[in-house]
Amino acid sequence: MSLHEKLNAALASRDKRLIRRRLYDPSADAHLADFSTNDYLSLAHSPSLRARFLAKLNASPYILGSGGSRLLVNGHAHAALEARLVAFFRAPAALLFNSGFDANVGLFASVPQPGDAIVYDEHIHASVHDGMRASRAETRVAFAHNSVEALRAALEKLVEEQPGLANGEHSVFIAVETLYSMDGTVAPLVQIIEAVEELFPQGNGYVIVDEAHSTGVYGPQGKGLVAALGLEDRIFARLHTFGKALAATGAVLLVTPLVRDYLLNYARSLIYTTSLSNANIIAAECSFDLLEDGEAEELSAKLLGLSAHLTTALSQELAKHRIPSSLLSLPAHIATSYSGSDPTRLPTPIIPVLTPHPRPLSAHLRVRGLNARPITWPTVPKGADRVRVCLHSSNTREEVDRLVSAMIEWAESWQAAQETVERENGRTGDTVSVQAKL
C-alpha cells in the first residue's frame, strides 16, 4: 500500500467512526452566540484593549518580527516583559515561550534527568505527553484524575520500588493543571502539595502546575489559582499562557533562575525557533495592563456569575422535565452551589454537557443561533462524549437561558422521536437524529 493510500485509509477510518477533524468555515459562526472559544474574558473583542494595543504599537520603535531566536536576539521588549511577570506573579524568574505547548514540551523533555520519574494526572494536556516522550526520565506514571489518594498510592509505590527516590538521589515531577479544559474540574492543589511534601521530605518532589485555563479567571488580578491559594513558594514551575483569556499569543514559565538557565541551554522548543514578534509582546503587555488595573477582575466576576447561573438553571430544567441522565446530564463534579472553603468547587467557564449524541445536539444548538462544539473520542475517552460549553464575560443571561432551553428542547424531541420509532418498529435501539424545526 502506497503512502497516499495509507493516508487516505486512515482518514476514511476516522470518517467511518465520525471522529475526523476538519477546520470549520470561518464565516459560519458569525451570527451565533459564542459558547465555544476560550476567549473567557472576551478581551479579543474589548474596545479598551484594542485602543491600548494600537496606541502602544504606534509609540513603539519596534513592531514587526523579533530578529531570531532569543539566544541570538534578546529583544528589549522580551526582557522587559519577563521582568514585569516576575514581579506580577511573585516568581523567582520567568522565561517566555511561543506557546504553552512549546513551554510544556521544552520543560518536560529537558528538565527530568535519567533515573527520575514523572507522575501526571490522567487528564493532563497533550503537550505534556509530547514532552514526556522526549524526556530521559523513563518512569512515567498516570494517576486517576484529581484523586489525591491515587496520587499518593503512585508516589508511595515509586518510593518503595526506587531507592534513589527515597534517598533523594533522584527526583519525581508531578504534573497537574489548575483548571482542566475538557471537564472544567479544579485540581485539589493544596492536598496534592501536602502529599508530595510529606512523601518527599528531602525536597526531591517537584510539583509543576499548568495554569493555561485559569490565567485571568481566578486569583487576585487574574494571577491564577496558585496565587489565590498562596502557594507560589511551594511550586517548582508554573505555566501561564497568553492565548486564552488574555487574547494574546505566547506563554511564560515561572521557575527558579537555575531552571531558567538550564532551559535556555537545553529546551529545544525555545532554542531552535524564532521568538515572539515585538507585536506579540506588546499585545501581551496590554493584556497584563488590564489585569493590573482591575478591569479583567471585574470581567472574571461576571463570567463566574454566568457559570453559576448556567449550572443551576440547567440542573433545575433537567430535573423538571425528567430528562434521563443517559441522554443529557451535567457531570457530578459540576457544582450548583459554591463554598469559599473548598477551592475545588469553584464556578468554572468550562461546562461539559454529557450526551451520547453530541453532534446532533450541537447541530440543534446551531439552528437556534448558539455555537457549542461536540467533543468526542479521541479528544475525550470513549463513552465520555459531550458538548463543551465555554462561557465568556460578554455572554448575556438571555443567551445562557436560550442555551438551556434549546438543550431541553432537543432532549425532549429526541425522546419523542425514539419512542415513535420504538412503537412503529416494535423494538428499541434505533438511533434517530433530531434537530429543531425551522
Side-chain angles (χ1 to χ4, degrees):
M1 185 182 290
S2 70
L3 175 62
H4 182 83
E5 291 169 329
K6 291 176 183 177
L7 299 183
N8 268 328
L11 292 173
S13 173
R14 289 208 158 185
D15 265 331
K16 185 177 181 180
R17 292 174 288 156
L18 300 178
I19 60 170
R20 183 170 177 177
R21 297 181 174 109
R22 289 182 171 87
L23 293 177
Y24 290 95
D25 180 350
S27 62
D29 300 340
H31 65 293
L32 303 177
D34 179 14
F35 290 103
S36 176
T37 70
N38 57 24
D39 181 27
Y40 304 128
L41 300 182
S42 301
L43 292 183
H45 305 286
S46 165
S48 63
L49 180 58
R50 178 184 175 89
R52 191 184 295 260
F53 176 56
L54 293 176
K56 284 198 173 186
L57 277 180
N58 189 55
S60 175
Y62 304 105
I63 298 174
L64 303 176
S66 64
S69 164
R70 281 295 297 284
L71 292 173
L72 296 177
V73 183
N74 184 23
H76 291 288
H78 298 67
L81 178 57
E82 287 175 340
R84 177 183 187 177
L85 297 181
V86 164
F88 180 73
F89 286 111
R90 199 168 71 79
L95 185 60
L96 293 172
F97 282 78
N98 286 6
S99 68
F101 194 103
D102 283 350
N104 271 334
V105 169
L107 177 67
F108 284 93
S110 64
V111 172
Q113 304 294 301
D116 291 347
I118 304 172
V119 178
Y120 58 94
D121 188 288
E122 63 180 346
H123 289 181
I124 202 73
H125 272 135
S127 53
V128 174
H129 286 277
D130 282 13
M132 289 191 294
R133 289 189 189 102
S135 171
R136 291 172 293 167
E138 296 179 356
T139 302
R140 303 160 203 164
V141 179
F143 66 93
H145 178 54
N146 268 359
S147 171
V148 178
E149 181 180 348
L151 169 62
R152 181 180 287 273
L155 294 176
E156 288 174 344
K157 184 178 180 182
L158 286 174
V159 169
E160 181 181 341
E161 294 176 346
Q162 300 188 25
L165 293 177
N167 63 28
E169 180 183 355
H170 297 303
S171 302
V172 60
F173 298 86
I174 297 87
V176 297
E177 300 174 33
T178 44
L179 175 62
Y180 287 85
S181 61
M182 288 296 134
D183 292 281
T185 42
V186 178
L189 274 186
V190 174
Q191 295 92 326
I192 287 171
I193 291 169
E194 288 174 347
V196 172
E197 291 175 345
E198 176 190 335
L199 293 171
F200 297 91
Q202 298 190 65
N204 59 321
Y206 300 103
V207 179
I208 299 173
V209 179
D210 184 332
E211 297 235 49
H213 290 275
S214 57
T215 305
V217 175
Y218 298 125
Q221 297 179 300
K223 293 178 182 178
L225 198 61
V226 170
L229 298 173
L231 299 173
E232 295 97 329
D233 297 332
R234 299 165 73 182
I235 300 294
F236 176 73
R238 279 182 281 164
L239 170 66
H240 290 274
T241 61
F242 312 152
K244 296 177 175 63
L246 302 191
T249 301
V252 64
L253 273 175
L254 304 175
V255 291
T256 65
L258 172 62
V259 174
R260 182 182 189 274
D261 191 15
Y262 187 89
L263 290 168
L264 285 169
N265 282 273
Y266 290 97
R268 296 171 67 85
S269 58
L270 173 79
I271 298 167
Y272 298 109
T273 188
T274 299
S275 64
L276 293 165
S277 74
N278 287 288
N280 293 142
I281 299 298
I282 293 170
E285 288 272 12
C286 293
S287 295
F288 280 99
D289 288 345
L290 297 190
L291 294 187
E292 290 189 333
D293 69 16
E295 182 174 339
E297 206 162 358
E298 295 176 6
L299 295 173
S300 175
K302 181 183 177 185
L303 167 69
L304 298 180
L306 286 172
S307 172
H309 176 65
L310 169 59
T311 54
T312 300
L314 183 55
S315 295
Q316 290 174 347
E317 290 299 302
L318 288 170
K320 175 182 175 182
H321 294 269
R322 299 181 179 180
I323 305 300
S325 59
S326 59
L327 177 61
L328 196 68
S329 66
L330 285 170
H333 68 263
I334 294 293
T336 55
S337 61
Y338 304 98
S339 170
S341 61
D342 185 355
T344 66
R345 293 180 67 81
L346 296 171
T348 163
I350 302 166
I351 313 290
V353 180
L354 303 180
T355 175
H357 314 293
R359 296 183 190 279
L361 173 55
S362 178
H364 178 92
L365 296 177
R366 292 184 70 84
V367 171
R368 291 298 187 228
L370 307 160
N371 182 22
R373 299 292 191 193
I375 308 292
T376 64
W377 184 86
T379 304
V380 294
K382 290 181 178 180
D385 291 351
R386 81 270 319 262
V387 167
R388 183 179 64 167
V389 175
C390 291
L391 292 167
H392 316 91
S393 62
S394 63
N395 287 132
T396 65
R397 283 210 168 202
E398 185 273 333
E399 288 174 336
V400 170
D401 290 340
R402 281 202 294 125
L403 179 69
V404 171
S405 296
M407 287 184 171
I408 298 300
E409 177 189 45
W410 172 83
E412 290 186 321
S413 297
W414 188 279
Q415 280 186 289
Q418 286 290 96
E419 290 168 2
T420 299
V421 168
E422 290 166 11
R423 284 196 304 269
E424 292 178 352
N425 296 342
R427 64 180 186 275
T428 61
D430 290 334
T431 298
V432 179
S433 182
V434 179
Q435 186 167 298
K437 296 178 180 179
L438 297 176

